[in-house]
Amino acid sequence: MGCVRCGKEAVIELQQGGLCEEHFVRYFQRKVYRTIRKHKLFSKQDRLCVACSGGKDSLTILDLVGKLARKRRQPIVALGIDEGVPGYREKQLEDMKYFCDKNDIEYRIVTFREEFGYTIEELMKIASKKKLQISQCALCGVLRRRLLNQCAKRLGATRIIVGHNLDDEVQTFMMNLFKGGIELAARMGPATGMVKHDGFIPRVKPLYFCTEHETTAYTKLKGIRVIYASCPYRKDSYRAFIAKHIDEIEKDYNGTKTSIIGNLMKMLPLLKKQYSSGKIPECRLCGEPSRNDICTACATLKKLGIKGPD
Ligand code: SF4
């Protein structure tokens, strides 16, 4: 297969045809920077915090946004959250530290144990003893989101950059349609948050239009040290179930994922108009933005009998 632009040997096959290394890297970088510009994900004045799991997507975005920040002399920090999945997260965070040291990017790592007193596995044991019906990913996700916002605020960030790619977004959209509710889809898009709130740092997704296939290829071609493995708990999650079926559809009907995101983008203005509910109040326990009197993270910690970080 030859590159559709220059005829050299292609390293990847995309919907538009094969691309050689040079043309793929150029196409990929342009797509990411265009998303940042077109959707005004951040400005030169923002203090950037890159949420970094240490996996391929977060290191890809750290690479691209890091280059941009260096050019603009803009402050940037990588933030890793270690929930304590043994044999997995510590290896990924090693890759993050290696990348940051090599590229002279400041980083911080916070752990569930330091912030909540327990790792995710210990929290699950407490939940099981208390007979709480909660999946590990639901508990982990809610606490990670809370820590991310709190820690980014501590670091003085004005934008949180996450490495969610097109595949992640398609899965989230389908999960919302099947289970969560269409109103949750109104919070989607390259920049999240329907309503502004001083306590909520906007989260932006420069990889919104990039597939997992593309980010994997980018890390390989750029020689970014990364482990291509998922958290061992992912396979039992609803997200993994949805991902498997969407991948099967994509295999038979090439372009389905891109089409879903294209249609979501067309619907988003209407969804935001319909479900925007004005000012978000604060959780009365932690002060974080919450639509309920007590936010989900505090309600969950309360059920577990644990005090969260201040
Ligand atoms: Fe946490 Fe589940 Fe993600 Fe693992 S797969 S890091 S347990 S949310």
Side-chain angles (χ1 to χ4, degrees):
M1 181 180 50
C3 172
V4 288
R5 306 238 170 114
C6 68
K8 272 193 211 156
E9 195 191 344
V11 291
I12 187 165
E13 189 175 1
L14 303 174
Q15 246 180 298
Q16 63 267 41
L19 287 178
C20 67
E21 177 170 347
E22 187 192 333
H23 282 114
F24 168 69
V25 169
R26 207 182 294 170
Y27 149 85
F28 183 79
Q29 292 177 337
R30 277 187 184 161
K31 181 154 67 164
V32 174
Y33 291 138
R34 197 186 316 125
T35 304
I36 294 172
R37 263 196 327 272
K38 186 172 171 198
H39 297 277
K40 299 184 174 55
L41 298 191
F42 54 85
S43 73
K44 288 178 185 166
Q45 282 71 41
D46 277 309
R47 291 185 300 278
L48 310 174
C49 170
V50 180
C52 206
S53 66
K56 63 181 180 348
D57 300 316
S58 63
L59 291 188
T60 294
I61 207 56
L62 194 54
D63 179 59
L64 293 172
V65 174
K67 283 187 175 106
L68 189 64
R70 192 169 309 123
K71 211 163 115 190
R72 294 173 167 181
R73 297 173 183 273
Q74 186 164 13
I76 181 168
V77 58
L79 174 64
I81 296 179
D82 183 355
E83 68 293 282
V85 175
Y88 169 68
R89 184 66 71 201
E90 67 265 31
K91 286 187 189 153
Q92 286 210 316
L93 291 175
E94 278 309 314
D95 287 340
M96 173 190 129
K97 288 191 230 169
Y98 176 80
F99 184 90
C100 289
D101 287 340
K102 204 171 150 197
N103 293 282
D104 202 17
I105 295 175
E106 184 189 341
Y107 67 84
R108 295 274 194 294
I109 293 176
V110 292
T111 68
F112 271 27
R113 186 186 283 288
E114 281 162 13
E115 299 284 337
F116 301 112
Y118 300 93
T119 65
I120 184 65
E121 300 216 324
E122 290 163 349
L123 288 170
M124 281 310 287
K125 281 187 192 141
I126 298 172
S128 154
K129 270 193 204 139
K130 295 194 179 261
K131 301 204 181 338
L132 284 183
Q133 296 292 326
I134 186 159
S135 74
Q136 174 140 335
C137 288
L139 178 59
C140 182
V142 84
L143 298 182
R144 283 180 73 87
R145 275 192 296 279
R146 147 81 93 87
L147 265 191
L148 187 57
N149 196 50
Q150 276 185 329
C151 295
K153 273 194 280 186
R154 283 184 215 156
L155 291 168
T158 56
R159 281 289 182 284
I160 297 175
I161 296 170
V162 293
H164 296 181
N165 62 37
L166 184 138
D167 290 64
D168 299 324
E169 289 301 299
V170 171
Q171 291 152 20
T172 305
F173 182 52
M174 299 317 279
M175 286 161 74
N176 287 335
L177 280 186
F178 293 162
K179 258 188 168 183
I182 191 69
E183 62 278 14
L184 292 180
R187 300 181 198 173
M188 297 182 68
T192 54
M194 287 188 294
V195 206
K196 291 205 179 344
H197 188 291
D198 288 344
F200 181 73
I201 315 236
R203 273 172 220 195
V204 297
K205 305 168 188 171
L207 295 180
Y208 202 81
F209 301 101
C210 302
T211 64
E212 197 168 310
H213 183 47
E214 290 171 342
T215 57
T216 303
Y218 184 77
T219 48
K220 286 186 177 165
L221 293 170
K222 296 299 275 182
I224 296 174
R225 193 182 92 177
V226 68
I227 300 164
Y228 297 98
S230 300
C231 170
Y233 293 101
R234 184 182 152 97
K235 63 181 187 319
D236 304 321
S237 66
Y238 184 54
R239 179 176 288 277
F241 172 80
I242 292 285
K244 183 175 137 228
H245 290 286
I246 297 170
D247 285 347
E248 276 167 15
I249 299 173
E250 176 75 31
K251 223 159 118 196
D252 290 341
Y253 299 95
N254 189 13
T256 300
K257 293 178 190 176
T258 311
S259 166
I260 292 174
I261 287 300
N263 285 314
L264 171 64
M265 290 304 291
K266 286 183 199 154
M267 284 189 283
L268 264 180
L270 295 173
L271 288 170
K272 286 186 192 292
K273 202 170 159 198
Q274 173 75 23
Y275 295 107
S276 177
S277 56
K279 194 177 180 304
I280 309 180
E282 277 112 47
C283 166
R284 83 176 144 81
L285 296 181
C286 68
E288 286 284 298
S290 165
R291 288 174 199 282
N292 302 317
D293 182 37
I294 297 181
C295 70
T296 318
C298 282
T300 312
L301 289 170
K302 211 165 168 243
K303 283 186 203 155
L304 292 168
I306 288 164
K307 188 182 173 301
D310 297 322

